[in-house]
Amino acid sequence: MADIVLDKVSKSFPDGTVAVQDVDLEIADGEFVILVGPSGCGKSTTLNMIAGLEDISSGELRIGGQRVNDKAPRDRDIAMVFQSYALYPNMTVRENMAFPLRLAKLDKATIDQKVDEAAKVLELTSLLDRKPANLSGGQRQRVAMGRAIVRQPKAFLMDEPLSNLDAKLRVQMRTVVSRLQKKLGTTTVYVTHDQTEAMTLGDRVVIMRGGAIQQVGPPQELYDHPRNLFVAGFIGSPSMNFLHAAVEDGKLRTALGDVPIGDRIRRELEGADAPRELILGIRPEHFEDAELIDDEARARGMEFTAPADIVESMGSDKYVYFTVEGQRASAAELEELAADAGADFSGGGGNLVTRLSAESPVQEGEDRRVWFNLEKIHLFDPSNGRNLTLHEGRSAGTLGD
Amino acid sequence: MADTTTRAKLRWGLIDVIVVVFALVPVLWIASLSFKTPATLTDGKFWPREWTLDNYRSIFDTDQFVRALVNSIGIALIATLIAVVLGAMAAYAISRLDFPGKRLLVGVSLLIAMFPQVSLVSPLFEIERQLGLFDTWPGLILPYITFALPLAIYTLSAFFKQIPWDLEKAAKMDGATQAQAFRRVIAPLAAPGLFTTAILVFIFCWNDFLFAITLTSTERARTVPVALSFFTGESQFEDPTGAICAAAVVITIPIILFVLFFQRRIVSGLTSGAVKG
Ligand SMILES: Nc1ncnc2c1ncn2[C@@H]1O[C@H](COP(=O)(O)OP(=O)(O)OP(=O)(O)O)[C@@H](O)[C@H]1O
Ligand SMILES: [Mg+2]
């Protein structure tokens, strides 16, 4: 058990690629931290540096208060679960799990006892004498976990451990991982690509982009108070809607109508170098069918009318896609996110994704009056992606003062 | 469904039998000839009417064949060992490291493999005579290594590329030193590749005739394929066919033994199950 501290850690490869840049991160003892970000943002490299599989170019890494920059992986006492599982194919499940213990020169009885214990926790007891080739994907995954937990290391590192499983198994294994971590209370760093894993598993989530940390915090905080455009677009599924907004006469001209702004935002926009164009972000669940809104809520929001293109009824609620006219929101972050998701992120002049109550009688093809919550709106500066609605780490919509 | 699979099996079985028969009939014919007496040698019968071991006795009577056998075994084993060790190092580098000139190395070794050996015979002959390597073991071992290396590098790098290197990382994380990781995880997985390559290289050296006949002149380094061609009967008038056949059978035995010995170590699909599903 130990805490892990990354102090201005950077990694540049011999070919000049800077994969990780000045990463500062403090992971408390027993904490479950998730690293997320688009492909190639340096998650694996960061993890490999913690593991000792990759040299640290500059900065300091401390585990349990001790500088370990120059220690070999075997001297760091941390276990890793690989995306590929990396089971030893020439050994049985039992031998695979016993391997770290045998290297640690434990006596046979202790090894057997520890392996049996770990096997029981992961429900592998009946498979102990099989070779990895004769296991299913989920079983192999559990063996890989078992090999990590048997020797009770200071920390677990997991690099996309579930990404090779099919969707159903992934959900199942997610709870296994979560329960195991709670039970063992071992410091864990978990790399993933998957939104849901990031939101549900960890105590804190670290969002990376291009080798740098964008924001660190509990999942809900990242969701509610994203520090910038990138975090806002990355977290959430379906993702936040982004619209182009022009600052005119103390109002924001958008495809959804003129959005009023509060004093604080107004002050921010009065500076000489303040942006004249903004990006407005609204999450799908902050829309509602105007028919279903009571007067009190109506006062906190705004309404617009748009044709409903597609209605997807999920039972509990309805995803409705509207077409709105107007300029496209454009920023480097949005393009990057779109490339990573393979989806269209640009809101304005395109689709608006909304999540309405199941009671909404909306029909495909009809024009519908829709309400949205002004208190939940985010405004971003397109030049640097900063969230302007964020005040002392909280976001209070456009009206906040 | 079951019907088609049985039919398919039958069809494939038949094709297999044809291929095996096609390949084995000449071999069996030679074996049969080696057991025939000189009188019945040309009777055209597949099964010898009169069995005799005289042919075998005769080849082991003369020192000539035994010496050649020793030369062949020694030269082929040494060349194989060196080629596999060097090839393994080169293949490891090619499959795992990125270094300047990697493509050049691969290209050059491919070039060597494709170079017509006949055109090298006379220069090699001259060179070896100058250097005093002519008609010695090293005189054959060196060209064998040269031509076996590309073969070894190619097969070995194909094998090495199959090994998931995450395993080495995993072993390190599990507390192994570099040496332990290699010995307990990588080596067992690389072994089939090494054995396969050893067999291929050994067969290549064992079968060579071209270099053996041009670069040797006496029993000092003459190998079996060449010795066979020098076979004459006990007297000038005796037909050596039976003896040649017996010798041909004898020299296939080391190869069969070599293959059988190593084949047990070549467990195919050894790496399956290491990664993913
Ligand atoms: N050995 C290397 N040499 C040069 N560049 C490298 C090397 N390994 C990784 N990189 C680069 O470093 C960057 C970060 O890579 P990394 O593997 O950490 O990404 P990642 O966030 O894990 O991505 P993914 O989600 O696809 O696994 C990438 O741009 C990659 O191309
Ligand atoms: Mg990765």
Side-chain angles (χ1 to χ4, degrees), chain A residues 238 284-285 287-288 311-320 354-360 362:
Chain A
E285 64 270 29
F287 291 90
E288 185 54 282
V311 177
E312 291 173 349
S313 187
M314 312 298 283
S316 57
D317 37 33
K318 282 183 173 144
Y319 286 125
V320 186
T354 68
R355 206 171 100 197
L356 310 182
S357 302
E359 300 89 70
S360 166
V362 60

Side-chain angles (χ1 to χ4, degrees), chain A residues 74 84 87-88 102 140 151, chain B residues 166 173-174 184 274 276:
Chain A
R74 60 193 298 259
S84 65
L87 301 181
Y88 310 124
R102 274 176 35 215
R140 282 178 204 176
R151 75 191 154 103
Chain B
D166 265 0
M173 293 306 299
D174 283 346
R184 302 179 69 161
K276 299 202 243 184

Side-chain angles (χ1 to χ4, degrees), chain B residues 26-138:
Chain B
V27 179
L28 292 178
W29 198 274
I30 285 183
S32 143
L33 286 179
S34 73
F35 289 112
K36 285 181 178 175
T37 58
T40 60
L41 200 61
T42 51
D43 63 357
K45 292 267 180 345
F46 188 75
W47 207 248
R49 270 183 301 166
E50 294 173 51
W51 290 79
T52 172
L53 286 176
D54 280 351
N55 293 321
Y56 289 90
R57 261 178 228 121
S58 77
I59 57 170
F60 283 106
D61 273 350
T62 62
D63 197 32
Q64 197 189 2
F65 181 72
V66 180
R67 276 291 315 182
L69 207 55
V70 171
N71 287 341
S72 261
I73 293 174
I75 290 172
L77 277 182
I78 295 173
T80 303
L81 186 74
I82 298 177
V84 169
V85 169
L86 289 182
M89 293 197 256
Y92 181 86
I94 286 172
S95 60
R96 285 224 45 200
L97 308 174
D98 240 338
F99 55 91
K102 176 165 144 176
R103 292 172 65 99
L104 190 73
L105 179 71
V106 176
V108 167
S109 68
L110 193 66
L111 198 74
I112 295 174
M114 296 198 296
F115 209 86
Q117 300 175 356
V118 177
S119 57
L120 280 180
V121 161
S122 0
L124 270 179
F125 175 74
E126 286 301 327
I127 292 169
E128 295 212 341
R129 271 205 330 179
Q130 295 286 327
L131 294 177
L133 286 173
F134 181 73
D135 200 24
T136 61
W137 278 23

Side-chain angles (χ1 to χ4, degrees), chain A residues 39-234:
Chain A
S39 194
C41 71
K43 306 180 295 286
S44 298
T45 309
T46 308
L47 203 69
N48 287 341
M49 283 193 289
I50 300 176
L53 296 171
E54 204 83 76
D55 291 333
I56 295 170
S57 306
S58 72
E60 191 170 87
L61 173 70
R62 292 187 292 273
I63 298 177
Q66 245 191 334
R67 181 192 151 96
V68 294
N69 281 41
D70 306 314
K71 279 199 177 174
R74 60 193 298 259
D75 300 321
R76 298 190 186 190
D77 189 24
I78 41 191
M80 186 152 171
V81 179
F82 292 82
Q83 177 177 8
S84 65
Y85 313 150
L87 301 181
Y88 310 124
N90 51 329
M91 303 181 194
T92 62
V93 170
R94 177 184 290 281
E95 286 164 343
N96 261 284
M97 287 169 53
F99 189 68
L101 302 175
R102 274 176 35 215
L103 289 172
K105 301 229 160 43
L106 295 186
D107 62 84
K108 181 119 183 25
T110 322
I111 292 180
D112 282 347
Q113 184 222 328
K114 286 189 178 224
V115 169
D116 286 337
E117 225 168 81
K120 211 160 98 200
V121 173
L122 288 162
E123 292 168 34
L124 287 168
T125 310
S126 59
L127 306 172
L128 279 175
D129 295 318
R130 293 225 200 140
K131 289 272 175 74
N134 305 327
L135 298 177
S136 71
Q139 291 166 339
R140 282 178 204 176
Q141 216 290 325
R142 293 211 301 271
V143 177
M145 303 278 297
R147 195 174 58 186
I149 67 171
V150 272
R151 75 191 154 103
Q152 290 145 331
K154 280 189 191 148
F156 295 134
L157 307 178
M158 307 192 188
D159 194 350
E160 309 201 27
L162 308 184
S163 61
N164 279 329
L165 302 177
D166 59 51
K168 205 169 147 200
L169 213 51
R170 204 178 309 166
V171 175
Q172 215 176 314
M173 279 309 293
R174 206 166 66 208
T175 57
V176 173
V177 171
S178 174
R179 225 177 295 137
L180 203 63
Q181 204 273 343
K182 288 216 175 65
K183 183 167 172 242
L184 301 172
T186 308
T187 316
T188 304
V189 186
Y190 186 107
V191 167
T192 181
H193 225 96
D194 185 289
Q195 279 277 343
T196 331
E197 281 173 31
M199 292 300 284
T200 55
L201 275 177
D203 300 323
R204 280 196 302 159
V205 177
V206 178
I207 300 194
M208 295 184 68
R209 172 190 175 214
I213 290 184
Q214 300 292 302
Q215 192 170 354
V216 184
Q220 194 64 44
E221 185 176 316
L222 299 191
Y223 188 84
D224 290 337
H225 313 291
R227 191 184 291 163
N228 60 34
L229 192 55
F230 185 83
V231 175
F234 191 81

